[in-house]
Amino acid sequence: MDLVLQLWGGLFYLTNKICFSLAEGKAEKTKRELRLAGWVIYILGVPAWVIILIMKHNWIAASIEAGGIPAMLLGLLNVYRNGAETNRVFDLVASLSTYAFMVFGVSYSLYDYGGLNSISQVLEIGVMVGFLLGSYFLAKNKNSGWLFFMLMNGSMGTLMVLQGKPILAFQQALSLCFVVYGFLCATNTRRVQEGEV
């Protein structure tokens, strides 16, 4: 079962990063199709990650993954609506639910571990910050989201190494490569659009 969950979660999240990174700098139609696919794939990978993280008592990371679904749906909706103004109510619901899950995950982790006394908890905080801000800024088409995804991938990859999940650690390393590529492409595209190059 563990192997199936690692393959499921790892492949879906890696495919998401590939779609997002390849979308940068492409024609609008191709960019939109790749981003739509990326958001859907991201959402479909969540259950495997949540199960794996709960099994290892990674409460912060598990709650962020589960609580990030509204932000992922917001990203999907924004791409589907092709840049039309974001529904403010849905934006608010996505933000509030993400933060509610974050508070729950951190609180339960502190309770379960008797405080902040584990390297896994510190890494989970890196995952939390990277995931929340990365997903939010990418949903808003801001390049800074890529930087936070770098933090997320680095923290999660290290956590997976420490917890004996080699497939997921390798997937996080590959994802990090695509995140760096996506950031470089997005930055270059923005410079071209602003006439700096």
Side-chain angles (χ1 to χ4, degrees), residues 26-36 79 82:
K26 298 289 190 280
E28 283 305 312
K29 182 178 184 232
T30 304
K31 184 176 192 173
R32 181 173 183 264
E33 289 169 356
L34 284 167
R35 284 190 173 178
L36 281 172
V79 173
N82 209 18

Side-chain angles (χ1 to χ4, degrees), residues 61-140:
S63 66
I64 289 307
E65 292 289 343
I69 291 174
M72 293 179 202
L73 290 171
L74 176 63
L76 178 63
L77 179 64
N78 286 345
V79 173
Y80 179 77
R81 295 183 64 195
N82 209 18
E85 188 170 328
T86 303
N87 181 318
R88 290 178 191 248
V89 173
F90 191 57
D91 193 5
L92 179 64
V93 168
S95 297
L96 291 176
S97 66
T98 301
Y99 292 120
F101 269 89
M102 178 183 70
V103 168
F104 170 77
V106 171
S107 300
Y108 195 76
S109 180
L110 293 173
Y111 167 76
D112 189 37
Y113 285 88
L116 184 64
N117 55 25
S118 164
I119 189 70
S120 68
Q121 289 174 295
V122 173
L123 291 169
E124 287 181 82
I125 289 170
V127 170
M128 175 181 65
V129 170
F131 178 80
L132 285 175
L133 296 177
S135 297
Y136 184 75
F137 286 131
L138 283 182
K140 298 282 195 176

